[in-house]
Amino acid sequence: MSTYKIATKARVVPEKQPLKLVAVEMDLGTCCARCVLDTGAQQVLLHLPLSQKGPFWELEPGTHRTLLQVLQDPALRDRLLTCPALPWCSQRLRPEYKIEAIMHMRRSVVKIPSTLEVDVEDVTASSQHIHFIQPMLLSEVLARGGPFPLPTEILEVPDGPPIFLSPWVGSLKKGQRLCIHGVASPPWRLLASTKGRKMPRHFMISGAYQGKLRRRPREFPTAYDLLGALQPGQSLRVVATKDYEGEGLENPGFTSLAMGDRLEVLWSDQALGAEDRDTDVLVCQRLSDEAEKEGEEECGGEAEHQEQIMLPLHTAGGFVEELSDGRRYSLQDLTVQFSLPCEVKVMVKDTNHPADPLTSFPGLRLEEKIVEPFLVVSLDSKPGMCFEIPPRWLDLTVAEEEEPPSQPPGSLPVATVEELTEAFYYRLRKLPTFESQAPPPRPPKSKGLSGQKKQGSKEKGVKSSQILKLQEPFLLPKPKVQTWPKTTEDISNLYSQTPGRKKGLTPTKPITQDLDNEHDYEEIVEKFPKTL
């Protein structure tokens, strides 16, 4: 096969066209190669002079082979090959290899290309006593998935403050031997905080917790929290713990609440609020004690004691759940039947965890479920007690040991409750699980300073008028004596009306109608000018 096209007397031979060499003979006095060109439709006889320049490639007969088969056949090395799927006319395959190797006390695998020009010496026979230690992270052990149990030794502990307050945290030091028993099951955990203490404590409870819990009434600081607790098909009844005036709301459905009012949350809706804007509300039904009595008349009698009201989601009144459930639940049943957050009291501690601290608290708030894989680990110095480590937040660097671990017979108890540090607790609260939650609604914008002053003056005026109305019935009766007389306009007749009197003003009417005699009258007239 020629890599270039060849022009002969018979025709032009295209490039890369296979030719079959039959014989060498004389043609018209020139020594030529007699070749046969197979075009598919016919075979053409050609005479090529021996002086014809190439280059020419020799094509060996054989079956088509894959790239892997060519690489695996040592006889085909350094041979020119053709492939119609490649843009080149011929190829010589010279593959490069990568050698994977491990180095002593180095965690990553070293890859050495075959083209690297280095001198390598085989020291296998003289280095039998050397044990290569390959470090690995707990996350790599988790991804590898076994085999378990796996004896290891701690080579490095990640920097940073501790995340657990358990006693075994202090044992995680360099040189400590661990036994990894496998992946913890189930993979979910619950975040919980204590209730009834000034400084709450935070715990992570495993899904394998075997204690018994009883529900406690939940507390809701706003109506928005009531919306989060409302579940379809489940009744939610609460009692108001604070007075709510509902100031600034123009919708008559936004009624006020008094401490002790009982409500049943029905559904969420929208209503026309202040400044003619749509406001998200909760439709509730106000309950009375009479409606709860047995033997109450159905429908008609109950409607007299119940009314539907609307609470804006930004209502800042406090609520507490009405609860009469004395059943004891397992942790799994509780999370399936009820929504989180949930208030509980641990009645029976986990028998597999003798140091269960949850029974000593008056209440717990189960806040959120976290799905994260944990590894069950035990210390070589204390093989009888296991605990769970999250590689995501406590990724130790360990090395595999050759000695098999010593395990006590039977199943090992696992600590299902771990106390969290406050910093790690709030770090968990920043996870995307919590960030995806919608924020509570904002209350309506407050009025400006001028509006507050006007409203304050109006309220002040209303209050003062109310005070006057209250005080009016308690005013003293009007005195009968202290009435001033009317004087005459004509000064000349001032003294003529009363002859013999002293000079002074003379009243036209008696000062009082209750004078008994003339002596009293004269006495008053004599004192009058001095008073004036």
Side-chain angles (χ1 to χ4, degrees), residues 105 133-138 141 150-159 168-180 377-381 387 389 394-401:
M105 296 299 295
I133 297 178
Q134 182 184 5
M136 54 184 173
L137 297 173
L138 289 184
V141 176
L150 179 65
T152 59
E153 180 181 345
I154 299 178
L155 299 180
E156 186 180 357
V157 180
D159 297 332
W168 52 263
V169 176
S171 302
L172 300 181
K173 299 178 181 179
K174 182 178 180 180
Q176 175 67 48
R177 299 186 62 186
L178 301 176
C179 180
I180 304 176
V377 180
S378 65
L379 299 174
D380 185 65
S381 57
F387 50 90
I389 292 182
L394 189 58
D395 206 0
L396 303 176
T397 303
V398 298
E400 185 176 356
E401 294 286 329

Side-chain angles (χ1 to χ4, degrees), residues 7 25 52 145 163 177 324 411:
E25 60 185 14
Q52 179 68 42
I163 62 176
R177 299 186 62 186
S324 59
S411 60

Side-chain angles (χ1 to χ4, degrees), residues 36 108 139 389 422 435 464 519 528:
V36 177
S108 59
S139 57
I389 292 182
E422 189 172 2
E435 293 177 356
S464 61
H519 176 72
F528 181 74

Side-chain angles (χ1 to χ4, degrees), residues 469-485:
K469 289 181 181 180
L470 292 174
Q471 290 180 351
E472 185 176 355
F474 300 97
L475 291 177
L476 295 175
K478 297 180 180 180
K480 295 181 180 181
V481 179
Q482 302 294 333
T483 55
W484 300 103

Side-chain angles (χ1 to χ4, degrees), residues 171 174 331 388 429:
S171 302
K174 182 178 180 180
L331 189 63
E388 298 175 347
R429 299 291 291 182

